[in-house]
Amino acid sequence: MSTDVRLRVDGVEVVVPAGCSVAAALRLAGHVSTRRALDGGGRGACCGMGVCFECRVRINGVERLGCLARVADGMEIVCDA
Amino acid sequence: MRELSTEILVVGAGPAGIAAAVSAERAGARALLVDMQAEPGGQIWRGQWNNATDRAARRWLTALRGSPVATRYGLRLVDFAAPGLAVFDGADGPLRVRCERLIVAAGARERLLPFPGWTLPGVFGAGGLQVLVKNGWPVAGQRIVVAGSGPLLLAAAATLRKAGAQVLCIAEQTGAADLARFAAGLAPHPGKWLQAAALRGRLAGVAYRCNAWVERAEGTERLESVRLRAGRSVERIACDALAVGFGLVPNTEIAQLLGCELRDGAVVVDVHQHSSVAGIYCAGEICGIGGVDQALAQGEVAGRAAAGSGERPRALRRDCARSARFAQTLRRHFALRDELRELATADTVLCRCENVRYADAAACRSQRDARLQTRLGMGHCQARICGAAGEFLFGWTAATPRPPLAPAPLTCFTEPTSDPEPPAQESA
Amino acid sequence: MNQDVVIVGGGIVGCAIADRLARAGVAVCLVERDVLGGAATAASMGHLVVLDDDPAELTLSSYSCALWRELAPLLPDNADYRTTGTLWIARDAAEMAEAERKRTRLAAAGVNGELLTAQQLAACEPALAPNLAGGLRVAADAVVYPPVVAAWLARRAVAAGARLRCGVAVSAIGDGEVVLDDGSRLRARHIVVANGCSVPELLSGAPVRRRKGHLLITTRLQPQVRHQLVELGYVQSAHGEASESVAFNVQPRPTGQLLLGSTREFDAPAGSVTPRLIARLVERAVEFLPGLAGRTALRAWTGFRPTTPDHRPLIGPWPLRAGVWLAGGHEGLGVTTALGTAELLAAQLLDLPLPFDAAPYAPGRFTSAVASHVH
């Protein structure tokens, strides 16, 4: 994990360690909640293993789970998917 | 749509799936191993692929590297277009895999139970936060409460501490007497005992409280504190994260979709790990929670059997029997207490996806009734979380899963128009 | 315990009848073997639509849709009643001519429809494919979430004095009584059989066949569709005798989800999802709504519609046993016509003036076939 990866979260560039998950990258970038529930409440990563779907975000335009996806250079991540 | 073909498709690259795929190849069959994570290891061996510190993990991951097993990661099984034709979804779009036989090693998930505040950011599964941390989630300097039930809490706390977190306490809902009996029951399993002792050593100074559970998580936009009940006393603990899990639940959805028979929430298999459906083998936690040793033994049996080598060597039979006894010990001593059914209030969200209130669900006759009347379980997670909770809270039987097993692009369901890819082995 | 009427089946039809009779002061007991609105009702799209290809169907569906409009203000929010209207879509000139004929037939029944040119269609629903010929917009049609309405009707019946027994099945019908599967019996002067596809289990020879259907729903997203969209070829699919057919039929849910139909299959015994039919359903939908290709499927499921040989429901006295009534065989129109069915059956049972001629729906129209089947 020596190298860094550059990606954009909601249009803002962030630099995170290579090899980390998108969920971790979002947390490192300061995002505590990454989606709004139906009642407007904030939600963030929870189960960590692709089960609860709370950490879903749009990665390069496609809905994906932050906990399963790995960061990659140039990735465009949009929260509140 | 991309398409591959293989003799044996192994779904899930945790210990059971790795052992199954490697053993199938050793027995002379072609195997393709697929997992939805970015690398092999499952939950228990998360992060071991590039830096194996666990002995068994090193042995099996090395074996996987050296074997001709074809592998594909970052792909989630969403449906079967026909028997023996699995449809996966991944970042590069759908992939179809034709196979002659299937080994399902989908592992387990944590049981999460509703209590006020459990949907706040900062509340995680116990194993959940552990695996997040293994993939770079930052916890250094954070104050964390670990709670719930089962031996996983120790492992999670150890990982968090190693990553620099301040573990404030470990709250185990089981009583001291049961814990002592569990510890005594480990005697025939020296490996487990050593593991537990080592974990305890790494957690020196961390308060371990029996008969204790989190009643409520508090905070506005994120978790700020928890209320911990221990016997008659309640204590408010300010913290940055809560890692809370109530044991494990087998991921039986794939097997159920294929019509495999279940008993007590686990897939029914014979001594060869063959399910009730011809050509479908199951191994590991989906056959009943039993830990990594059981997963490896069952994976080996399943891989050999699916490759046509039905004989089980004596050592393997012994491993299976021993790990089955451990599984029994585990189940007996970490039964969930009744008070946990009373944590949710009327307004507590039970279904996190569709925001269904506890009271609205509780008014229903069955999970199916709740689905129809309240939308419980109708969202993204397909009742994986609220289904397991409803089972514990109301004694409901989980509804049969329906395709797709996870939300997937509509293009996964149309007929492929492109030419098939070459066989998996050539492009691996 | 004695009651005037036992109703077998807590689908939307049985619940509507229970509600109608209970509010008329009749002592009713509604028996549902599982959960309310859990079978064909749960598998329905909940499209409240006037269909006109058969005069009897036009009468019943237009009468029922008017009753739905009266009921709508009383329904709870989660019944999801929305006046989306129906957009009947024509692909070519021949279908456009059919749209014109449809408009004329609907107008004769007092239902307004508005013909749309290709440009007007595109303006009305921009997500539709550009190569379509036009359409017919029936603004008064609506959509609803049927299981919630079924349960609501049952609760209203209970509030009016009805008894509700869920989780117990009727295993047989005797003279003036039904036998429950727990061995007990319920006596009643009248027995109304409204258990959908299971009608023949209780009334041997009843001409009801199961016709399987598939549905698929997407995840939530900003709505791109406002009307229930149906291709004009739908009626052919619905009323044809082909063993398998697929028609474009898409509904915007208030959640922002899109509900995709519809398939029809005879003689498909298993309730499992057939991937080939899901593929056809999706491909058909994408032909009309190209933007769908990028959306995410959340869930697919199946259900069975109870059909009759002439595609008309069976509403009225069962000719082979006095005191037994039938309300079933509604195929894909059970939700639309539930309220009208309840009115028509209640009028016959209570000897009130009929809202319209009951003869086209009389179960007795198949008596000779039934009798030969029984013998």
Side-chain angles (χ1 to χ4, degrees), chain B residues 100 248 273:
Chain B
E100 289 162 35
L248 301 175
Q273 301 297 132

Side-chain angles (χ1 to χ4, degrees), chain B residues 354 368 378 382 403 408 415, chain C residues 38 220 283 295 297-300:
Chain B
E354 292 292 327
R368 180 159 166 71
M378 301 288 251
Q382 300 275 40
E415 292 296 323
Chain C
R220 295 167 188 254
E283 282 157 12
R295 291 203 54 161
L298 180 60
R299 185 171 55 249

